Amino acid sequence: MRDQCLTLWRVGAASLLVAGGMLLLSPTAHAQSPAELLEKGIYAEETVGDLAAAIRVYQQVVTAANESRTAAAQAQYRIGLCYEKQGNSAEAVKAFQAVVDDYPTETELVDQAKTHLPSEPELLPVPWGDGDELVFEMKLQTGLGVGMQVYRVAKSKMADRDVWECQNWQIVTINGQRGKSRVLADAKTFAPIESTWMHTMLGKASAKYQDNQVTVQLANKDEPVVLKSSGPLFDNEQAAEVFRRLPLKENYETTLQVISSLGATEVPIALSVPKLETIEVPVGKFECFVVKLEIGQTFWISNDEHRYILRFQAGGVTADLTEVRHPHEETRTSVERERFTVELPPNWFAYTPSSLGDNNKSTTQLIDPDATMDARIEAGPLDDIQSKHETVREWLDASLDEYRRRSSSFELSDEGIQTIQAGDREGVVAVFEYFENDKPKKAYRAAIFGDDSAVNVRFTADKEIFETLQKSCDQILASLDVK
């Protein structure tokens, strides 16, 4: 009987709340004070259980802050409580942070709000070695390889300060997007100091962290964006390394405050570990913590002293760890493929999709240290090319004709087509310039025949960038051995 009475009470209270809302709209109704509105919001939240209605009323109190700062602070705090009850942790964090930022004199409420904000997470000792690299291949659900991601962490110095340098390279082959980021983080606390992030589609941004604020400079903006924060922050581009250092276990939960410099915004990322799972990736079979992010991403992190990220999923793409490398900073990388071998300068990477199809041709994308150049090596059967072009010069001429047709500004260098030595093979190369979207471009095309294979090499970039990388391009071409 008591339960029935309680149900009827709640229904009756809801009816009264609706009636009260109608009175607020009446031109003859008595204007309610912030204190009265606050009581009304509490009634909707705690008695009626209508959190959405309570949030609307509390927002009215906050809007009327000039009349009563105390009532407005209480309302702002209760907005956070309502969002927590709804399970909306991101909005809850924003609401509690607003109490801290906007009502500093309401010390008791500020202290209460801080208990709901993410505290500085406990970080385990670093699980990586100096300069370690994790190399991933990204695939669609069909198994088609569409890109590569590389994470590297190395010791570095910033003035006299010991720091960790977190770098990330990415290439997506289906749309030609490339990205490179770099974060310098304090060696002891792992707090970010500064970061840069370049993406060929999203743009460029840099961030500096100091005095509870982050200054973000977007490449297409004259004025920086200043973000205030009173809690611990991490940069989006060091998040993978932060995940590896968390004290993960089953049912572990935390929320990290992350700065996205390209978005010039602070994003709370809630994560949890619902279970452990054993998975197999190209580097082996591991028991993993399944780390689920509220933003719809999942990471699998090994349950061992290395805390490797073995797999991550986001947006319909799965990336598996294909290689763990421990290179020295000046290490040159040897790349061997079915139809060629090549040596890359330090900080260059090569990606060939693991699923090439049945056409016996391949494209190997090359990633330069800043991921700014469109560089690739295309290889296929010699017979296929010679059925159309008898010599390498004819083949290169046909390629240059394609550029001439596409761009009225095409201009071949004064040297024209030149003979080169690529490994122990003789080939031809041409350097030329053209405009694309009103930007001056410079390109380098080479063609080489082997015994059974034909290889086409291309390097393209904005003119000023190309000239800084041309020496590396020459080194790559000279080391190329076509089979």
Side-chain angles (χ1 to χ4, degrees):
M1 182 65 182
R2 182 180 179 275
D3 289 342
Q4 291 176 337
C5 291
L6 181 60
T7 301
L8 291 173
W9 166 254
R10 288 187 178 274
V11 171
S15 300
L16 288 173
L17 186 64
V18 172
M22 292 174 66
L23 285 174
L24 281 174
L25 296 175
S26 169
T28 58
H30 167 67
Q32 293 178 295
S33 69
E36 290 172 328
L37 284 172
L38 182 62
E39 288 298 321
K40 185 174 180 178
I42 295 171
Y43 185 72
E45 175 191 353
E46 296 186 351
T47 304
V48 180
D50 190 341
L51 298 176
I55 289 173
R56 288 194 296 270
V57 176
Y58 290 143
Q59 287 171 339
Q60 292 180 55
V61 182
V62 172
T63 302
N66 289 337
E67 297 180 38
S68 175
R69 298 286 294 172
T70 298
Q74 291 175 342
Q76 184 64 57
Y77 175 76
R78 285 190 167 275
I79 289 173
L81 294 178
C82 289
Y83 279 128
E84 272 192 343
K85 292 174 183 178
Q86 288 179 335
N88 191 340
S89 60
E91 291 300 322
V93 167
K94 290 180 184 178
F96 290 127
Q97 188 63 54
V99 176
V100 176
D101 294 340
D102 299 340
Y103 307 97
T105 58
E106 301 294 328
T107 54
E108 186 175 340
L109 272 177
V110 166
D111 289 342
Q112 292 179 37
K114 285 180 176 178
T115 66
H116 294 268
L117 291 171
S119 58
E120 187 164 357
E122 176 189 354
L123 296 181
L124 301 177
V126 297
W128 51 74
D130 182 15
D132 283 4
E133 291 177 356
L134 303 184
V135 183
F136 296 83
E137 181 176 25
M138 298 182 285
K139 293 184 178 182
L140 300 178
Q141 293 177 348
T142 59
L144 177 67
V146 295
M148 175 187 189
Q149 189 129 327
V150 180
Y151 292 104
R152 179 195 291 165
V153 190
K155 291 179 180 178
S156 188
K157 284 277 190 181
M158 185 177 181
D160 294 327
R161 188 174 182 179
D162 291 328
V163 298
W164 283 109
E165 181 181 37
C166 306
Q167 297 188 80
N168 172 243
W169 291 262
Q170 182 190 85
I171 186 166
V172 180
T173 58
I174 53 177
N175 54 19
Q177 292 177 22
R178 299 178 303 281
K180 165 67 189 300
S181 64
R182 175 176 178 264
V183 180
L184 296 180
D186 183 83
K188 292 181 179 179
T189 65
F190 212 51
I193 304 167
E194 64 179 34
S195 70
T196 57
W197 191 3
M198 184 286 300
H199 192 277
T200 51
M201 183 180 72
L202 301 177
K204 298 179 183 179
S206 62
K208 292 187 181 297
Y209 295 78
Q210 59 187 109
D211 301 328
N212 294 324
Q213 72 177 34
V214 187
T215 304
V216 179
Q217 182 64 64
L218 300 172
N220 61 345
K221 301 289 185 183
D222 294 331
E223 296 297 323
V225 177
V226 178
L227 304 173
K228 299 283 188 179
S229 182
S230 61
L233 296 172
F234 294 105
D235 194 279
N236 182 77
E237 295 305 288
Q238 67 173 147
E241 287 78 22
V242 174
F243 297 161
R244 294 176 66 185
R245 293 188 62 181
L246 293 175
L248 303 175
K249 60 182 180 180
E250 280 191 284
N251 301 316
Y252 174 82
E253 293 183 352
T254 193
T255 298
L256 304 175
Q257 295 299 114
V258 173
I259 295 295
S260 169
S261 56
L262 281 178
T265 187
E266 180 179 342
V267 182
I269 297 181
L271 61 86
S272 61
V273 181
K275 61 180 179 178
L276 278 80
E277 184 174 287
T278 299
I279 65 170
E280 189 166 3
V281 295
V283 297
K285 192 173 184 178
F286 298 82
E287 181 185 61
C288 304
F289 298 104
V290 180
V291 181
K292 289 193 169 291
L293 276 58
E294 190 179 56
I295 57 176
Q297 300 178 9
T298 305
F299 288 73
W300 283 259
I301 298 177
S302 65
N303 181 19
D304 59 19
E305 70 275 18
H306 301 294
R307 293 297 176 102
Y308 293 133
I309 295 175
L310 296 163
R311 173 179 292 165
F312 61 86
Q313 288 181 339
V317 172
T318 298
D320 279 355
L321 183 63
T322 60
E323 189 178 1
V324 179
R325 302 174 55 194
H326 315 281
H328 187 269
E329 184 178 353
E330 297 303 318
T331 299
R332 299 177 70 84
T333 304
S334 294
V335 177
E336 183 164 358
R337 298 295 185 259
E338 181 183 358
R339 297 191 176 279
F340 68 89
T341 61
V342 72
E343 191 172 79
L344 302 180
N347 299 320
W348 283 70
F349 302 92
Y351 170 66
T352 309
S354 57
S355 49
L356 296 176
D358 301 324
N359 60 9
N360 209 19
K361 297 179 181 178
S362 68
T363 297
T364 297
Q365 303 279 349
L366 305 182
I367 309 172
D368 65 88
D370 292 320
T372 51
M373 173 174 274
D374 180 2
R376 63 186 75 180
I377 301 174
E378 298 166 333
L382 178 62
D383 291 345
D384 286 358
I385 296 299
Q386 287 193 318
S387 67
K388 302 172 185 175
H389 312 289
E390 188 174 341
T391 67
V392 285
R393 181 174 288 269
E394 289 178 7
W395 187 25
L396 182 57
D397 263 332
S399 298
L400 297 178
D401 284 341
E402 288 294 322
Y403 281 93
R404 290 187 181 96
R405 281 193 288 270
R406 293 204 314 259
S407 175
S408 59
S409 60
F410 176 90
E411 183 177 345
L412 192 63
S413 69
D414 293 339
E415 292 81 7
I417 296 177
Q418 295 181 291
T419 300
I420 58 162
Q421 197 71 25
D424 59 356
R425 307 286 182 182
E426 192 174 89
V428 290
V429 65
V431 177
F432 54 95
E433 298 180 16
Y434 62 100
F435 279 81
E436 183 176 276
N437 297 325
D438 296 327
K439 278 189 173 183
K441 298 279 187 177
K442 193 168 184 178
Y444 195 135
R445 290 292 296 267
I448 305 102
F449 285 169
D451 294 331
D452 302 302
S453 305
V455 165
N456 170 37
V457 184
R458 60 175 72 186
F459 301 103
T460 306
D462 292 347
K463 184 177 178 180
E464 59 183 22
I465 293 172
F466 184 95
E467 291 172 353
T468 65
L469 292 170
Q470 186 160 355
K471 183 178 179 181
S472 294
C473 297
D474 290 338
Q475 293 172 351
I476 292 169
L477 199 54
S479 73
L480 182 65
D481 182 18
V482 180
K483 299 177 181 180

